[in-house]
Amino acid sequence: MSHGISHNGEHETSPSTFDNTGKLAAILIGVISAVAGLLMYWFNPLLNNAASLQGTYIDDLFGVAMGIGTAVFFMVQGLLLYSIIRFHRQADDDEDGPPIRGNTKLEIVWTVVPALVIIFLGILSYQVLVAAERPDPDELIVEVRGFQYAWQFYYPDYDITTSEMHLPVDRPARLKLRSNDVIHAFWVPAFRIKKDVMPDRVTETFITPIEEGTYPIVCAELCGAAHSAMRSQVVVESDSSFKQWVSGQGAAVARASEAAETDPMAQGRQVFNQNGCNACHVLADAGAVGQVGPTLNNIGAEAGAMVPGQAPEDYIHAAIVDPNKFVVEGYPANVMPSNYGTTISEADLKALVDYLMAQK
Amino acid sequence: MEATIEANAYDNRGWIRHGGRKLSDYFVFNTDHKVIGIQYMVVAFIFFIIGGLLAETMRTELAAPGTQFVGGSSYNQLFTLHGTIMIFLWIIPAFVGLANYAVPLMLGANDMAFPKLNAFSFWLTIPGAILLIASFFVGGAESGWTAYPPLSLQTPAGQTLWAIALQFIGFASIFSAINFLVTIFNMRAPGMTLMRMPLLAWSMIATSIIIILGTPVLSAALAMLTVERLLGANFFSGGVGGDPLMWQNLFWFYSHPAVYIMILPGFGIISEVIPVFSRKPIFGYKLIAFSSLAIAIFGFLVWAHHMFTSGMDPFLRVPFMITSMIIAVPTGVKIFSWLATIWGGKLRFTTPMMFALAFISMFVIGGISGVFLASVPIDIHVQDTYFVVAHLHYVLFGGSVMAIYAGVYFWYPKITGRMYSERMGKLHFWMNFIGFNITFLPQHVLGLQGMPRRVADYAPEFMLWNLVSTLGSFLLAASTLPFLWTAVASLFKGKPAGNNPWRSLTLDWTVTSPPPIHNYPVPPVVTSDPYGYGERTIVQPPVPVPAPSGGGGD
């Protein structure tokens, strides 16, 4: 049983609470925390180099936050560990500790100092935000379309549409994002840039790539069954390679429309790729390597045998507009979007069915 | 006369009863706050295990890239149900259960203000829970616990059941919050001024205010979602007058404050456990009490930080960033106050104390990563990634769940009249603490390096840390076994606890363990706050009714 200390015990200075050992430990913990924080700020080891100008701003800010966070972490854990080791109750000691109920000065300090640190971090964050979203008159505009489960990029300056994004290095780009169906989020981890892609409005984000290379584009907002397969990539290249790529794409478009006269399959192939079928299915003719749904390389030959009594054209048509009607064994239902009947025009749908029928 | 009070207090007839003396008393509409507390805790723990199994299924799938045995819609259903269960059927009801048991006793009250409403709240949770589980079997909700439209308008019928289930749980929550507020303001023992209340009571005031102001907004949003799904109203569909962002605003207006619903009671429990085992008064009582209220108020001004990358007005992100960061200040105040309480004390490392210390240590990590997420530019990179998954688990597991365990071990002797096994408790603690950190620490790195959340499959470069995380989660899951062992076995084999095994100064430890059905036949008189360690001796007030009364656990 503990024995009460009289009420004036409050004023007693207690040797065991903040003696020289305690002071020394507190100072040591403070120094270690500061050093750890500075090291973390300096090396910023958790992030690889950013590939965009905005990313470098964000990384610098992250480094500052990481430095402060590391210092706070070491300080709290240090004080905690020191207390656990030092103030362990002795086995035969049933006395209470010193009745200290507070210390106004200390309490003001640990309210005001964190508030100042927070204000500092807030101001810094605001500056970075303004810098990261500054428009530029020389912007390259890219219109990004997200749909279940693929990305599409339209370059209004060149009138080309692609399923892979290309950006010239060091030239600011403004992305205008829009979704065909649910909310997606356009994220390029290497750029540190993420923006939700909404069905009912256009959102914008700014990227100035500074490092040539190929980086993944990831959908970061849950968008349905094949959310994790909704990926693409962005190629950052020199201005000349970019121009070459653009003219190549332009030529491909021209070829396709020319070919449409002679090659009845061109339209179907285009419908296949522009509606994201390529994101989930394998189809050699269209260069599609998606891993979510069944392989379609021989669909024209196989369709007739899928459902007894069903004409192959009807089977393919149904499988597109009502994908849950005949789910291929080994693949889950409710993965493929069920609204292609409304999003693809009647003519395009016919071209797509004809195209798939020809895959034998 | 006191014996008569006790005899009259127990009512064991029919389906509406009062008091727990036999097992069947726990399966009916029982109006005793102690029985209801136990009912809440047991049901919540069952759901913790279900939610945990769902999580283990996901972690097993994520052990390697590619889809091994659960992908697509099924995976989405798993994390939707996992999140919903852990929030609405584990953490929130577990805290309600602990507070239901402890708060009236700590205030010197004989029950909650509205015992029937209290039982009604509990029994309203049950159909909600059943509907939620049922939703899984009719094509479950698969749009995450956040249920963003338009995705949540496309998903199968289970989504509607999900929304209706949450209505039940939401109403239960509102009723119990009203009950806590009225109890705390009106049922305190003579002499217990507001500033002499245990800090858990202050936390429950703050929590209840948030529930009462926030939950109706969630109910409204859920009702709109249900009507849109069933009748085609266009609240959240773009292009026809609706707006998907409106859901996000309504949802987070509740669901961010809900984070504080899930942590403030934990702050309260920690503020009770730390002084008892440090043998020192809580440091800075007033600042701790008021910082809870500050968190409750500021908690309503930060919701849009969940929408920094959405289509919301770009400038509005700045004020929301500032308010979100400011929340770190009252939270930091609590951390420093606990550290100062420990400093210079005479620490006893019982299991509840170890969980309480782990709470401080782990919650700080979640708090630091929270400030990162509040900073708009950093959030633009880490929003919707595993960094967020790591952050929220440091707050809700490293914080809330550690606090729940601290509370359960702390009051176990009071509730059951017997001591738990320290050996099993320590084993549980270390497996839990190590398993938790192995599971969630690597997820920070995964998020920073580019792994989005809510994916069944990921790029091969993320394999290593995912495997580590999965192995850690198995240890974490296994840590539940020693807890279950001692929680059950000590009911029969535990050493008798006596009234006050911890030599605590709060009123709950002045009555027998388990407490009599009518808590205080003689109303206690309070002359100071319950933290006067080193100032006053612990006087055991006369306990008139001897042991045979029931309580929990029989």
Side-chain angles (χ1 to χ4, degrees), chain A residues 60-61 95 99 126 158 177 227 234 246:
Chain A
D60 287 347
L61 175 65
E95 293 283 312
Y126 176 71
Y158 313 107
L177 310 115
H227 165 56
V234 50
V246 166

PDB file of all heavy atoms in Angstrom, chain A residues 60-61 95 99 126 158 177 227 234 246:
ATOM      1  N   ASP A  60      11.839  17.719 -52.463  1.00  0.00           N
ATOM      2  CA  ASP A  60      12.518  18.606 -51.510  1.00  0.00           C
ATOM      3  C   ASP A  60      11.645  18.826 -50.277  1.00  0.00           C
ATOM      4  O   ASP A  60      12.112  18.770 -49.145  1.00  0.00           O
ATOM      5  CB  ASP A  60      12.832  19.959 -52.166  1.00  0.00           C
ATOM      6  CG  ASP A  60      13.969  19.827 -53.173  1.00  0.00           C
ATOM      7  OD1 ASP A  60      14.647  18.773 -53.157  1.00  0.00           O
ATOM      8  OD2 ASP A  60      14.176  20.763 -53.967  1.00  0.00           O
ATOM      9  N   LEU A  61      10.358  19.070 -50.534  1.00  0.00           N
ATOM     10  CA  LEU A  61       9.434  19.267 -49.419  1.00  0.00           C
ATOM     11  C   LEU A  61       9.343  18.003 -48.577  1.00  0.00           C
ATOM     12  O   LEU A  61       9.344  18.049 -47.338  1.00  0.00           O
ATOM     13  CB  LEU A  61       8.052  19.633 -49.971  1.00  0.00           C
ATOM     14  CG  LEU A  61       6.924  19.767 -48.952  1.00  0.00           C
ATOM     15  CD1 LEU A  61       7.196  20.928 -48.003  1.00  0.00           C
ATOM     16  CD2 LEU A  61       5.584  19.959 -49.652  1.00  0.00           C
ATOM     17  N   GLU A  95       6.073   2.620  -3.023  1.00  0.00           N
ATOM     18  CA  GLU A  95       5.787   4.051  -2.890  1.00  0.00           C
ATOM     19  C   GLU A  95       5.266   4.598  -4.220  1.00  0.00           C
ATOM     20  O   GLU A  95       5.534   4.045  -5.283  1.00  0.00           O
ATOM     21  CB  GLU A  95       7.073   4.804  -2.538  1.00  0.00           C
ATOM     22  CG  GLU A  95       7.633   4.481  -1.176  1.00  0.00           C
ATOM     23  CD  GLU A  95       6.855   5.166  -0.070  1.00  0.00           C
ATOM     24  OE1 GLU A  95       6.605   6.379  -0.212  1.00  0.00           O
ATOM     25  OE2 GLU A  95       6.486   4.505   0.904  1.00  0.00           O
ATOM     26  N   PRO A  99       4.370  13.689  -6.828  1.00  0.00           N
ATOM     27  CA  PRO A  99       3.071  14.172  -7.294  1.00  0.00           C
ATOM     28  C   PRO A  99       3.172  15.451  -8.122  1.00  0.00           C
ATOM     29  O   PRO A  99       2.751  16.512  -7.678  1.00  0.00           O
ATOM     30  CB  PRO A  99       2.312  14.414  -5.989  1.00  0.00           C
ATOM     31  CG  PRO A  99       3.372  14.732  -5.003  1.00  0.00           C
ATOM     32  CD  PRO A  99       4.615  14.011  -5.419  1.00  0.00           C
ATOM     33  N   TYR A 126       2.645  25.387 -49.162  1.00  0.00           N
ATOM     34  CA  TYR A 126       1.892  26.291 -50.030  1.00  0.00           C
ATOM     35  C   TYR A 126       2.768  26.765 -51.188  1.00  0.00           C
ATOM     36  O   TYR A 126       2.348  26.782 -52.342  1.00  0.00           O
ATOM     37  CB  TYR A 126       1.374  27.474 -49.217  1.00  0.00           C
ATOM     38  CG  TYR A 126       0.663  28.497 -50.060  1.00  0.00           C
ATOM     39  CD1 TYR A 126      -0.589  28.209 -50.613  1.00  0.00           C
ATOM     40  CD2 TYR A 126       1.239  29.731 -50.334  1.00  0.00           C
ATOM     41  CE1 TYR A 126      -1.239  29.122 -51.404  1.00  0.00           C
ATOM     42  CE2 TYR A 126       0.595  30.654 -51.122  1.00  0.00           C
ATOM     43  CZ  TYR A 126      -0.650  30.348 -51.664  1.00  0.00           C
ATOM     44  OH  TYR A 126      -1.279  31.251 -52.461  1.00  0.00           O
ATOM     45  N   TYR A 158      -1.731  17.693 -82.630  1.00  0.00           N
ATOM     46  CA  TYR A 158      -1.345  16.820 -83.743  1.00  0.00           C
ATOM     47  C   TYR A 158      -2.487  15.934 -84.201  1.00  0.00           C
ATOM     48  O   TYR A 158      -2.326  15.163 -85.140  1.00  0.00           O
ATOM     49  CB  TYR A 158      -0.155  15.942 -83.331  1.00  0.00           C
ATOM     50  CG  TYR A 158       0.956  16.712 -82.661  1.00  0.00           C
ATOM     51  CD1 TYR A 158       1.185  16.596 -81.291  1.00  0.00           C
ATOM     52  CD2 TYR A 158       1.757  17.576 -83.400  1.00  0.00           C
ATOM     53  CE1 TYR A 158       2.201  17.313 -80.673  1.00  0.00           C
ATOM     54  CE2 TYR A 158       2.765  18.305 -82.786  1.00  0.00           C
ATOM     55  CZ  TYR A 158       2.986  18.165 -81.434  1.00  0.00           C
ATOM     56  OH  TYR A 158       3.976  18.870 -80.828  1.00  0.00           O
ATOM     57  N   LEU A 177      -7.817  15.920 -67.940  1.00  0.00           N
ATOM     58  CA  LEU A 177      -8.239  14.547 -67.694  1.00  0.00           C
ATOM     59  C   LEU A 177      -9.750  14.437 -67.612  1.00  0.00           C
ATOM     60  O   LEU A 177     -10.426  15.307 -67.073  1.00  0.00           O
ATOM     61  CB  LEU A 177      -7.616  14.042 -66.386  1.00  0.00           C
ATOM     62  CG  LEU A 177      -6.112  14.256 -66.251  1.00  0.00           C
ATOM     63  CD1 LEU A 177      -5.816  15.207 -65.113  1.00  0.00           C
ATOM     64  CD2 LEU A 177      -5.395  12.946 -66.048  1.00  0.00           C
ATOM     65  N   HIS A 227      -9.108  -3.078 -61.717  1.00  0.00           N
ATOM     66  CA  HIS A 227      -8.413  -1.831 -61.352  1.00  0.00           C
ATOM     67  C   HIS A 227      -6.899  -1.984 -61.403  1.00  0.00           C
ATOM     68  O   HIS A 227      -6.190  -1.124 -61.928  1.00  0.00           O
ATOM     69  CB  HIS A 227      -8.885  -1.418 -59.951  1.00  0.00           C
ATOM     70  CG  HIS A 227      -8.046  -0.387 -59.280  1.00  0.00           C
ATOM     71  ND1 HIS A 227      -7.778   0.831 -59.862  1.00  0.00           N
ATOM     72  CD2 HIS A 227      -7.418  -0.380 -58.081  1.00  0.00           C
ATOM     73  CE1 HIS A 227      -7.016   1.550 -59.036  1.00  0.00           C
ATOM     74  NE2 HIS A 227      -6.783   0.836 -57.945  1.00  0.00           N
ATOM     75  N   VAL A 234       4.481   6.093 -69.777  1.00  0.00           N
ATOM     76  CA  VAL A 234       4.807   7.358 -70.408  1.00  0.00           C
ATOM     77  C   VAL A 234       6.277   7.307 -70.824  1.00  0.00           C
ATOM     78  O   VAL A 234       7.131   6.914 -70.038  1.00  0.00           O
ATOM     79  CB  VAL A 234       4.499   8.550 -69.485  1.00  0.00           C
ATOM     80  CG1 VAL A 234       5.075   8.363 -68.114  1.00  0.00           C
ATOM     81  CG2 VAL A 234       5.030   9.857 -70.091  1.00  0.00           C
ATOM     82  N   VAL A 246       5.505  11.461 -83.177  1.00  0.00           N
ATOM     83  CA  VAL A 246       4.246  12.090 -83.575  1.00  0.00           C
ATOM     84  C   VAL A 246       3.984  11.842 -85.060  1.00  0.00           C
ATOM     85  O   VAL A 246       2.875  11.427 -85.435  1.00  0.00           O
ATOM     86  CB  VAL A 246       4.283  13.617 -83.290  1.00  0.00           C
ATOM     87  CG1 VAL A 246       3.125  14.315 -84.003  1.00  0.00           C
ATOM     88  CG2 VAL A 246       4.215  13.868 -81.796  1.00  0.00           C
TER      89      VAL A 246
END
